[in-house]
PDB file of all heavy atoms in Angstrom:
ATOM      1  N   PHE A  17       1.883  -5.703   5.131  1.00  0.00           N
ATOM      2  CA  PHE A  17       2.547  -5.800   3.837  1.00  0.00           C
ATOM      3  C   PHE A  17       1.508  -6.223   2.809  1.00  0.00           C
ATOM      4  O   PHE A  17       0.866  -7.269   2.951  1.00  0.00           O
ATOM      5  CB  PHE A  17       3.691  -6.808   3.867  1.00  0.00           C
ATOM      6  CG  PHE A  17       4.295  -7.071   2.514  1.00  0.00           C
ATOM      7  CD1 PHE A  17       5.153  -6.154   1.942  1.00  0.00           C
ATOM      8  CD2 PHE A  17       3.967  -8.212   1.800  1.00  0.00           C
ATOM      9  CE1 PHE A  17       5.689  -6.372   0.678  1.00  0.00           C
ATOM     10  CE2 PHE A  17       4.501  -8.441   0.535  1.00  0.00           C
ATOM     11  CZ  PHE A  17       5.364  -7.516  -0.028  1.00  0.00           C
ATOM     12  N   ILE A  18       1.335  -5.387   1.773  1.00  0.00           N
ATOM     13  CA  ILE A  18       0.387  -5.658   0.685  1.00  0.00           C
ATOM     14  C   ILE A  18       1.192  -5.905  -0.579  1.00  0.00           C
ATOM     15  O   ILE A  18       1.829  -4.980  -1.097  1.00  0.00           O
ATOM     16  CB  ILE A  18      -0.588  -4.487   0.484  1.00  0.00           C
ATOM     17  CG1 ILE A  18      -1.337  -4.174   1.784  1.00  0.00           C
ATOM     18  CG2 ILE A  18      -1.575  -4.803  -0.644  1.00  0.00           C
ATOM     19  CD1 ILE A  18      -2.223  -2.944   1.702  1.00  0.00           C
ATOM     20  N   PRO A  19       1.196  -7.133  -1.085  1.00  0.00           N
ATOM     21  CA  PRO A  19       1.992  -7.403  -2.288  1.00  0.00           C
ATOM     22  C   PRO A  19       1.457  -6.664  -3.509  1.00  0.00           C
ATOM     23  O   PRO A  19       0.278  -6.306  -3.580  1.00  0.00           O
ATOM     24  CB  PRO A  19       1.856  -8.925  -2.472  1.00  0.00           C
ATOM     25  CG  PRO A  19       1.328  -9.448  -1.175  1.00  0.00           C
ATOM     26  CD  PRO A  19       0.527  -8.340  -0.586  1.00  0.00           C
ATOM     27  N   SER A  20       2.334  -6.453  -4.454  1.00  0.00           N
ATOM     28  CA  SER A  20       1.963  -5.845  -5.733  1.00  0.00           C
ATOM     29  C   SER A  20       0.730  -6.513  -6.319  1.00  0.00           C
ATOM     30  O   SER A  20       0.601  -7.736  -6.331  1.00  0.00           O
ATOM     31  CB  SER A  20       3.138  -5.978  -6.701  1.00  0.00           C
ATOM     32  OG  SER A  20       2.763  -5.626  -8.015  1.00  0.00           O
ATOM     33  N   MET A  21      -0.209  -5.679  -6.782  1.00  0.00           N
ATOM     34  CA  MET A  21      -1.384  -6.092  -7.560  1.00  0.00           C
ATOM     35  C   MET A  21      -2.498  -6.721  -6.732  1.00  0.00           C
ATOM     36  O   MET A  21      -3.526  -7.116  -7.289  1.00  0.00           O
ATOM     37  CB  MET A  21      -0.991  -7.034  -8.708  1.00  0.00           C
ATOM     38  CG  MET A  21       0.073  -6.474  -9.641  1.00  0.00           C
ATOM     39  SD  MET A  21      -0.406  -4.900 -10.417  1.00  0.00           S
ATOM     40  CE  MET A  21      -1.711  -5.456 -11.525  1.00  0.00           C
ATOM     41  N   TRP A  22      -2.356  -6.814  -5.411  1.00  0.00           N
ATOM     42  CA  TRP A  22      -3.459  -7.307  -4.575  1.00  0.00           C
ATOM     43  C   TRP A  22      -4.471  -6.186  -4.387  1.00  0.00           C
ATOM     44  O   TRP A  22      -4.118  -5.044  -4.086  1.00  0.00           O
ATOM     45  CB  TRP A  22      -2.932  -7.775  -3.218  1.00  0.00           C
ATOM     46  CG  TRP A  22      -2.430  -9.182  -3.241  1.00  0.00           C
ATOM     47  CD1 TRP A  22      -1.343  -9.663  -3.917  1.00  0.00           C
ATOM     48  CD2 TRP A  22      -3.011 -10.312  -2.565  1.00  0.00           C
ATOM     49  NE1 TRP A  22      -1.202 -11.017  -3.702  1.00  0.00           N
ATOM     50  CE2 TRP A  22      -2.211 -11.438  -2.882  1.00  0.00           C
ATOM     51  CE3 TRP A  22      -4.108 -10.466  -1.723  1.00  0.00           C
ATOM     52  CZ2 TRP A  22      -2.492 -12.712  -2.379  1.00  0.00           C
ATOM     53  CZ3 TRP A  22      -4.393 -11.730  -1.224  1.00  0.00           C
ATOM     54  CH2 TRP A  22      -3.592 -12.840  -1.549  1.00  0.00           C
ATOM     55  N   TRP A  23      -5.742  -6.515  -4.577  1.00  0.00           N
ATOM     56  CA  TRP A  23      -6.812  -5.561  -4.346  1.00  0.00           C
ATOM     57  C   TRP A  23      -6.975  -5.342  -2.842  1.00  0.00           C
ATOM     58  O   TRP A  23      -6.947  -6.298  -2.065  1.00  0.00           O
ATOM     59  CB  TRP A  23      -8.125  -6.079  -4.940  1.00  0.00           C
ATOM     60  CG  TRP A  23      -8.061  -6.220  -6.426  1.00  0.00           C
ATOM     61  CD1 TRP A  23      -7.629  -7.294  -7.140  1.00  0.00           C
ATOM     62  CD2 TRP A  23      -8.415  -5.227  -7.398  1.00  0.00           C
ATOM     63  NE1 TRP A  23      -7.693  -7.047  -8.488  1.00  0.00           N
ATOM     64  CE2 TRP A  23      -8.182  -5.785  -8.683  1.00  0.00           C
ATOM     65  CE3 TRP A  23      -8.934  -3.932  -7.305  1.00  0.00           C
ATOM     66  CZ2 TRP A  23      -8.423  -5.078  -9.851  1.00  0.00           C
ATOM     67  CZ3 TRP A  23      -9.191  -3.229  -8.477  1.00  0.00           C
ATOM     68  CH2 TRP A  23      -8.940  -3.802  -9.735  1.00  0.00           C
ATOM     69  N   HIS A  24      -7.139  -4.083  -2.419  1.00  0.00           N
ATOM     70  CA  HIS A  24      -7.294  -3.817  -0.986  1.00  0.00           C
ATOM     71  C   HIS A  24      -8.319  -2.715  -0.730  1.00  0.00           C
ATOM     72  O   HIS A  24      -8.332  -1.682  -1.383  1.00  0.00           O
ATOM     73  CB  HIS A  24      -5.956  -3.477  -0.314  1.00  0.00           C
ATOM     74  CG  HIS A  24      -5.102  -2.495  -1.059  1.00  0.00           C
ATOM     75  ND1 HIS A  24      -4.425  -2.812  -2.226  1.00  0.00           N
ATOM     76  CD2 HIS A  24      -4.789  -1.196  -0.791  1.00  0.00           C
ATOM     77  CE1 HIS A  24      -3.738  -1.763  -2.640  1.00  0.00           C
ATOM     78  NE2 HIS A  24      -3.954  -0.763  -1.797  1.00  0.00           N
ATOM     79  N   HIS A  25      -9.201  -3.023   0.212  1.00  0.00           N
ATOM     80  CA  HIS A  25     -10.249  -2.113   0.685  1.00  0.00           C
ATOM     81  C   HIS A  25      -9.857  -1.694   2.095  1.00  0.00           C
ATOM     82  O   HIS A  25      -9.471  -2.524   2.923  1.00  0.00           O
ATOM     83  CB  HIS A  25     -11.591  -2.849   0.698  1.00  0.00           C
ATOM     84  CG  HIS A  25     -12.727  -2.059   1.276  1.00  0.00           C
ATOM     85  ND1 HIS A  25     -13.106  -2.139   2.602  1.00  0.00           N
ATOM     86  CD2 HIS A  25     -13.587  -1.187   0.691  1.00  0.00           C
ATOM     87  CE1 HIS A  25     -14.139  -1.356   2.813  1.00  0.00           C
ATOM     88  NE2 HIS A  25     -14.464  -0.773   1.671  1.00  0.00           N
ATOM     89  N   ILE A  26      -9.920  -0.379   2.389  1.00  0.00           N
ATOM     90  CA  ILE A  26      -9.407   0.133   3.651  1.00  0.00           C
ATOM     91  C   ILE A  26     -10.466   0.991   4.325  1.00  0.00           C
ATOM     92  O   ILE A  26     -11.012   1.919   3.722  1.00  0.00           O
ATOM     93  CB  ILE A  26      -8.124   0.958   3.439  1.00  0.00           C
ATOM     94  CG1 ILE A  26      -7.077   0.145   2.655  1.00  0.00           C
ATOM     95  CG2 ILE A  26      -7.542   1.391   4.786  1.00  0.00           C
ATOM     96  CD1 ILE A  26      -5.869   0.949   2.251  1.00  0.00           C
ATOM     97  N   GLU A  27     -10.719   0.676   5.598  1.00  0.00           N
ATOM     98  CA  GLU A  27     -11.638   1.459   6.416  1.00  0.00           C
ATOM     99  C   GLU A  27     -10.876   2.080   7.579  1.00  0.00           C
ATOM    100  O   GLU A  27     -10.200   1.361   8.336  1.00  0.00           O
ATOM    101  CB  GLU A  27     -12.750   0.581   6.978  1.00  0.00           C
ATOM    102  CG  GLU A  27     -13.579  -0.147   5.943  1.00  0.00           C
ATOM    103  CD  GLU A  27     -14.397  -1.238   6.589  1.00  0.00           C
ATOM    104  OE1 GLU A  27     -15.393  -0.903   7.278  1.00  0.00           O
ATOM    105  OE2 GLU A  27     -14.045  -2.424   6.422  1.00  0.00           O
ATOM    106  N   ALA A  28     -10.956   3.385   7.720  1.00  0.00           N
ATOM    107  CA  ALA A  28     -10.438   4.073   8.904  1.00  0.00           C
ATOM    108  C   ALA A  28     -11.576   4.178   9.907  1.00  0.00           C
ATOM    109  O   ALA A  28     -12.639   4.718   9.587  1.00  0.00           O
ATOM    110  CB  ALA A  28      -9.906   5.452   8.533  1.00  0.00           C
ATOM    111  N   LEU A  29     -11.356   3.670  11.115  1.00  0.00           N
ATOM    112  CA  LEU A  29     -12.473   3.399  12.024  1.00  0.00           C
ATOM    113  C   LEU A  29     -12.659   4.431  13.129  1.00  0.00           C
ATOM    114  O   LEU A  29     -13.660   4.374  13.853  1.00  0.00           O
ATOM    115  CB  LEU A  29     -12.267   2.011  12.657  1.00  0.00           C
ATOM    116  CG  LEU A  29     -12.112   0.854  11.661  1.00  0.00           C
ATOM    117  CD1 LEU A  29     -11.783  -0.445  12.397  1.00  0.00           C
ATOM    118  CD2 LEU A  29     -13.362   0.696  10.817  1.00  0.00           C
ATOM    119  N   ASP A  30     -11.727   5.373  13.279  1.00  0.00           N
ATOM    120  CA  ASP A  30     -11.788   6.305  14.397  1.00  0.00           C
ATOM    121  C   ASP A  30     -11.914   7.747  13.914  1.00  0.00           C
ATOM    122  O   ASP A  30     -11.795   8.046  12.723  1.00  0.00           O
ATOM    123  CB  ASP A  30     -10.543   6.151  15.274  1.00  0.00           C
ATOM    124  CG  ASP A  30     -10.467   4.772  15.920  1.00  0.00           C
ATOM    125  OD1 ASP A  30     -11.527   4.221  16.254  1.00  0.00           O
ATOM    126  OD2 ASP A  30      -9.344   4.250  16.064  1.00  0.00           O
ATOM    127  N   ALA A  31     -12.121   8.645  14.879  1.00  0.00           N
ATOM    128  CA  ALA A  31     -12.312  10.057  14.543  1.00  0.00           C
ATOM    129  C   ALA A  31     -11.019  10.720  14.102  1.00  0.00           C
ATOM    130  O   ALA A  31     -11.046  11.788  13.471  1.00  0.00           O
ATOM    131  CB  ALA A  31     -12.901  10.800  15.743  1.00  0.00           C
ATOM    132  N   PHE A  32      -9.877  10.108  14.427  1.00  0.00           N
ATOM    133  CA  PHE A  32      -8.562  10.647  14.027  1.00  0.00           C
ATOM    134  C   PHE A  32      -7.694   9.468  13.622  1.00  0.00           C
ATOM    135  O   PHE A  32      -7.444   8.562  14.424  1.00  0.00           O
ATOM    136  CB  PHE A  32      -7.925  11.415  15.194  1.00  0.00           C
ATOM    137  CG  PHE A  32      -6.537  11.913  14.918  1.00  0.00           C
ATOM    138  CD1 PHE A  32      -6.294  12.854  13.931  1.00  0.00           C
ATOM    139  CD2 PHE A  32      -5.462  11.443  15.668  1.00  0.00           C
ATOM    140  CE1 PHE A  32      -5.004  13.324  13.682  1.00  0.00           C
ATOM    141  CE2 PHE A  32      -4.172  11.904  15.432  1.00  0.00           C
ATOM    142  CZ  PHE A  32      -3.942  12.847  14.444  1.00  0.00           C
ATOM    143  N   ASN A  33      -7.273   9.460  12.362  1.00  0.00           N
ATOM    144  CA  ASN A  33      -6.500   8.341  11.825  1.00  0.00           C
ATOM    145  C   ASN A  33      -5.318   8.856  11.033  1.00  0.00           C
ATOM    146  O   ASN A  33      -5.443   9.807  10.241  1.00  0.00           O
ATOM    147  CB  ASN A  33      -7.361   7.484  10.887  1.00  0.00           C
ATOM    148  CG  ASN A  33      -8.546   6.845  11.589  1.00  0.00           C
ATOM    149  OD1 ASN A  33      -8.430   5.780  12.168  1.00  0.00           O
ATOM    150  ND2 ASN A  33      -9.693   7.523  11.547  1.00  0.00           N
ATOM    151  N   VAL A  34      -4.176   8.218  11.237  1.00  0.00           N
ATOM    152  CA  VAL A  34      -2.968   8.551  10.477  1.00  0.00           C
ATOM    153  C   VAL A  34      -2.343   7.245  10.004  1.00  0.00           C
ATOM    154  O   VAL A  34      -2.177   6.301  10.789  1.00  0.00           O
ATOM    155  CB  VAL A  34      -1.947   9.336  11.333  1.00  0.00           C
ATOM    156  CG1 VAL A  34      -0.682   9.634  10.516  1.00  0.00           C
ATOM    157  CG2 VAL A  34      -2.562  10.622  11.864  1.00  0.00           C
ATOM    158  N   LEU A  35      -2.002   7.201   8.729  1.00  0.00           N
ATOM    159  CA  LEU A  35      -1.344   6.041   8.133  1.00  0.00           C
ATOM    160  C   LEU A  35      -0.082   6.523   7.430  1.00  0.00           C
ATOM    161  O   LEU A  35      -0.094   7.559   6.760  1.00  0.00           O
ATOM    162  CB  LEU A  35      -2.270   5.362   7.121  1.00  0.00           C
ATOM    163  CG  LEU A  35      -1.753   4.076   6.472  1.00  0.00           C
ATOM    164  CD1 LEU A  35      -2.015   2.879   7.393  1.00  0.00           C
ATOM    165  CD2 LEU A  35      -2.426   3.837   5.123  1.00  0.00           C
ATOM    166  N   VAL A  36       1.002   5.766   7.582  1.00  0.00           N
ATOM    167  CA  VAL A  36       2.237   6.013   6.841  1.00  0.00           C
ATOM    168  C   VAL A  36       2.479   4.798   5.957  1.00  0.00           C
ATOM    169  O   VAL A  36       2.404   3.662   6.428  1.00  0.00           O
ATOM    170  CB  VAL A  36       3.431   6.227   7.791  1.00  0.00           C
ATOM    171  CG1 VAL A  36       4.748   6.244   7.015  1.00  0.00           C
ATOM    172  CG2 VAL A  36       3.250   7.518   8.588  1.00  0.00           C
ATOM    173  N   ASN A  37       2.735   5.045   4.664  1.00  0.00           N
ATOM    174  CA  ASN A  37       3.001   3.884   3.814  1.00  0.00           C
ATOM    175  C   ASN A  37       4.243   4.089   2.955  1.00  0.00           C
ATOM    176  O   ASN A  37       4.692   5.217   2.720  1.00  0.00           O
ATOM    177  CB  ASN A  37       1.786   3.535   2.953  1.00  0.00           C
ATOM    178  CG  ASN A  37       1.812   4.188   1.604  1.00  0.00           C
ATOM    179  OD1 ASN A  37       1.773   5.414   1.509  1.00  0.00           O
ATOM    180  ND2 ASN A  37       1.894   3.390   0.553  1.00  0.00           N
ATOM    181  N   TYR A  38       4.793   2.960   2.498  1.00  0.00           N
ATOM    182  CA  TYR A  38       5.997   2.933   1.677  1.00  0.00           C
ATOM    183  C   TYR A  38       5.699   2.093   0.443  1.00  0.00           C
ATOM    184  O   TYR A  38       5.285   0.938   0.558  1.00  0.00           O
ATOM    185  CB  TYR A  38       7.161   2.294   2.447  1.00  0.00           C
ATOM    186  CG  TYR A  38       7.520   2.980   3.737  1.00  0.00           C
ATOM    187  CD1 TYR A  38       6.784   2.730   4.899  1.00  0.00           C
ATOM    188  CD2 TYR A  38       8.589   3.870   3.816  1.00  0.00           C
ATOM    189  CE1 TYR A  38       7.102   3.349   6.095  1.00  0.00           C
ATOM    190  CE2 TYR A  38       8.913   4.491   5.005  1.00  0.00           C
ATOM    191  CZ  TYR A  38       8.171   4.231   6.146  1.00  0.00           C
ATOM    192  OH  TYR A  38       8.488   4.843   7.330  1.00  0.00           O
ATOM    193  N   TRP A  39       5.934   2.674  -0.735  1.00  0.00           N
ATOM    194  CA  TRP A  39       5.760   1.972  -1.997  1.00  0.00           C
ATOM    195  C   TRP A  39       7.119   1.791  -2.668  1.00  0.00           C
ATOM    196  O   TRP A  39       7.923   2.729  -2.727  1.00  0.00           O
ATOM    197  CB  TRP A  39       4.898   2.785  -2.952  1.00  0.00           C
ATOM    198  CG  TRP A  39       3.418   2.669  -2.786  1.00  0.00           C
ATOM    199  CD1 TRP A  39       2.681   1.532  -2.646  1.00  0.00           C
ATOM    200  CD2 TRP A  39       2.471   3.738  -2.810  1.00  0.00           C
ATOM    201  NE1 TRP A  39       1.348   1.823  -2.572  1.00  0.00           N
ATOM    202  CE2 TRP A  39       1.191   3.178  -2.668  1.00  0.00           C
ATOM    203  CE3 TRP A  39       2.594   5.125  -2.945  1.00  0.00           C
ATOM    204  CZ2 TRP A  39       0.032   3.945  -2.660  1.00  0.00           C
ATOM    205  CZ3 TRP A  39       1.453   5.891  -2.929  1.00  0.00           C
ATOM    206  CH2 TRP A  39       0.177   5.309  -2.786  1.00  0.00           C
ATOM    207  N   TRP A  40       7.356   0.619  -3.206  1.00  0.00           N
ATOM    208  CA  TRP A  40       8.560   0.409  -4.016  1.00  0.00           C
ATOM    209  C   TRP A  40       8.280  -0.681  -5.043  1.00  0.00           C
ATOM    210  O   TRP A  40       7.424  -1.537  -4.849  1.00  0.00           O
ATOM    211  CB  TRP A  40       9.762   0.023  -3.149  1.00  0.00           C
ATOM    212  CG  TRP A  40       9.621  -1.337  -2.519  1.00  0.00           C
ATOM    213  CD1 TRP A  40      10.104  -2.537  -3.005  1.00  0.00           C
ATOM    214  CD2 TRP A  40       8.926  -1.664  -1.306  1.00  0.00           C
ATOM    215  NE1 TRP A  40       9.764  -3.568  -2.180  1.00  0.00           N
ATOM    216  CE2 TRP A  40       9.041  -3.071  -1.118  1.00  0.00           C
ATOM    217  CE3 TRP A  40       8.226  -0.919  -0.349  1.00  0.00           C
ATOM    218  CZ2 TRP A  40       8.470  -3.730  -0.030  1.00  0.00           C
ATOM    219  CZ3 TRP A  40       7.667  -1.578   0.724  1.00  0.00           C
ATOM    220  CH2 TRP A  40       7.798  -2.960   0.881  1.00  0.00           C
ATOM    221  N   ARG A  41       9.016  -0.630  -6.147  1.00  0.00           N
ATOM    222  CA  ARG A  41       8.868  -1.627  -7.204  1.00  0.00           C
ATOM    223  C   ARG A  41      10.061  -2.573  -7.196  1.00  0.00           C
ATOM    224  O   ARG A  41      11.181  -2.180  -6.860  1.00  0.00           O
ATOM    225  CB  ARG A  41       8.767  -0.957  -8.576  1.00  0.00           C
ATOM    226  CG  ARG A  41       7.484  -0.176  -8.779  1.00  0.00           C
ATOM    227  CD  ARG A  41       7.417   0.435 -10.180  1.00  0.00           C
ATOM    228  NE  ARG A  41       7.420  -0.600 -11.216  1.00  0.00           N
ATOM    229  CZ  ARG A  41       7.353  -0.335 -12.518  1.00  0.00           C
ATOM    230  NH1 ARG A  41       7.284   0.916 -12.939  1.00  0.00           N
ATOM    231  NH2 ARG A  41       7.360  -1.323 -13.397  1.00  0.00           N
ATOM    232  N   GLN A  42       9.821  -3.812  -7.580  1.00  0.00           N
ATOM    233  CA  GLN A  42      10.894  -4.789  -7.696  1.00  0.00           C
ATOM    234  C   GLN A  42      11.540  -4.745  -9.086  1.00  0.00           C
ATOM    235  O   GLN A  42      12.460  -5.517  -9.356  1.00  0.00           O
ATOM    236  CB  GLN A  42      10.367  -6.200  -7.413  1.00  0.00           C
ATOM    237  CG  GLN A  42       9.868  -6.385  -5.990  1.00  0.00           C
ATOM    238  CD  GLN A  42       9.511  -7.828  -5.685  1.00  0.00           C
ATOM    239  OE1 GLN A  42      10.213  -8.756  -6.079  1.00  0.00           O
ATOM    240  NE2 GLN A  42       8.419  -8.025  -4.970  1.00  0.00           N
ATOM    241  N   SER A  43      11.073  -3.868  -9.952  1.00  0.00           N
ATOM    242  CA  SER A  43      11.615  -3.742 -11.300  1.00  0.00           C
ATOM    243  C   SER A  43      12.405  -2.438 -11.411  1.00  0.00           C
ATOM    244  O   SER A  43      12.209  -1.506 -10.622  1.00  0.00           O
ATOM    245  CB  SER A  43      10.475  -3.760 -12.318  1.00  0.00           C
ATOM    246  OG  SER A  43       9.502  -2.790 -11.980  1.00  0.00           O
ATOM    247  N   PRO A  44      13.299  -2.346 -12.395  1.00  0.00           N
ATOM    248  CA  PRO A  44      14.111  -1.130 -12.561  1.00  0.00           C
ATOM    249  C   PRO A  44      13.264   0.090 -12.886  1.00  0.00           C
ATOM    250  O   PRO A  44      12.179  -0.014 -13.466  1.00  0.00           O
ATOM    251  CB  PRO A  44      15.038  -1.488 -13.736  1.00  0.00           C
ATOM    252  CG  PRO A  44      15.002  -2.975 -13.843  1.00  0.00           C
ATOM    253  CD  PRO A  44      13.653  -3.400 -13.364  1.00  0.00           C
ATOM    254  N   ASP A  45      13.792   1.263 -12.556  1.00  0.00           N
ATOM    255  CA  ASP A  45      13.061   2.504 -12.794  1.00  0.00           C
ATOM    256  C   ASP A  45      12.778   2.747 -14.270  1.00  0.00           C
ATOM    257  O   ASP A  45      11.815   3.433 -14.614  1.00  0.00           O
ATOM    258  CB  ASP A  45      13.848   3.694 -12.230  1.00  0.00           C
ATOM    259  CG  ASP A  45      13.881   3.710 -10.706  1.00  0.00           C
ATOM    260  OD1 ASP A  45      13.030   3.028 -10.097  1.00  0.00           O
ATOM    261  OD2 ASP A  45      14.746   4.393 -10.146  1.00  0.00           O
ATOM    262  N   TYR A  46      13.629   2.211 -15.160  1.00  0.00           N
ATOM    263  CA  TYR A  46      13.442   2.500 -16.576  1.00  0.00           C
ATOM    264  C   TYR A  46      12.283   1.715 -17.191  1.00  0.00           C
ATOM    265  O   TYR A  46      11.883   1.974 -18.319  1.00  0.00           O
ATOM    266  CB  TYR A  46      14.728   2.249 -17.373  1.00  0.00           C
ATOM    267  CG  TYR A  46      15.339   0.871 -17.218  1.00  0.00           C
ATOM    268  CD1 TYR A  46      14.779  -0.248 -17.826  1.00  0.00           C
ATOM    269  CD2 TYR A  46      16.496   0.693 -16.478  1.00  0.00           C
ATOM    270  CE1 TYR A  46      15.341  -1.509 -17.690  1.00  0.00           C
ATOM    271  CE2 TYR A  46      17.081  -0.559 -16.334  1.00  0.00           C
ATOM    272  CZ  TYR A  46      16.507  -1.654 -16.945  1.00  0.00           C
ATOM    273  OH  TYR A  46      17.069  -2.891 -16.809  1.00  0.00           O
TER     274      TYR A  46
END
């Protein structure tokens, strides 16, 4: 879990990598 606005550096370490992620906002769409 990566909170909103946290800086993140990501390294994929293997010859085959798959990531699934989910983004959502805590504020209204408008």
Side-chain angles (χ1 to χ4, degrees):
F17 173 77
I18 303 175
S20 170
M21 305 302 291
W22 275 66
W23 296 87
H24 46 287
H25 175 266
I26 306 172
E27 302 165 73
L29 304 175
D30 296 325
F32 176 64
N33 298 274
V34 179
L35 184 83
V36 170
N37 92 297
Y38 301 81
W39 277 313
W40 68 95
R41 291 182 62 179
Q42 296 187 41
S43 53
D45 290 342
Y46 54 74

